[in-house]
Amino acid sequence: NKVLFKVKAKSVETCRTCETRACESACPVKIPISADILKKGYTNRISCVGCGDCVESCTYNNLEIVDITSYLGKKGVKV
């Protein structure tokens, strides 16, 4: 299995003060998004399906999803 998506916070501090944790309740595979972001600034769990529900549900518009395959393609790495 490959990690294909990374959900990244624009500001970790915004996540730290968030009281809703809407991103976690929106995730269809129940990834602990806020815990990962508070720990390392992003989450890239192998179970992420890249649906973007967490990004859409963020009250603060603080999350973005990165498609790792397009990033690697720019670096010349075959995926």
Side-chain angles (χ1 to χ4, degrees):
N1 288 346
K2 296 179 183 178
V3 175
L4 300 176
F5 304 99
K6 177 191 277 190
V7 177
K8 206 173 142 184
K10 296 173 189 171
S11 165
V12 173
E13 192 54 39
T14 300
C15 288
R16 191 176 322 284
T17 60
C18 177
E19 295 179 8
T20 66
R21 303 286 191 246
C23 58
E24 290 187 357
S25 56
C27 180
V29 291
K30 305 300 178 209
I31 294 173
I33 299 165
S34 60
D36 285 357
I37 286 177
L38 292 176
K39 188 174 184 178
K40 49 189 185 175
Y42 63 91
T43 184
N44 64 340
R45 303 272 179 133
I46 206 159
S47 56
C48 178
V49 295
C51 67
D53 288 354
C54 57
V55 175
E56 291 295 320
S57 70
C58 178
T59 312
Y60 303 99
N61 194 27
N62 188 45
L63 299 177
E64 58 188 3
I65 193 162
V66 179
D67 179 354
I68 302 296
T69 58
S70 63
Y71 174 77
L72 292 175
K74 291 176 188 172
K75 296 285 186 182
V77 177
K78 279 192 168 187
V79 196

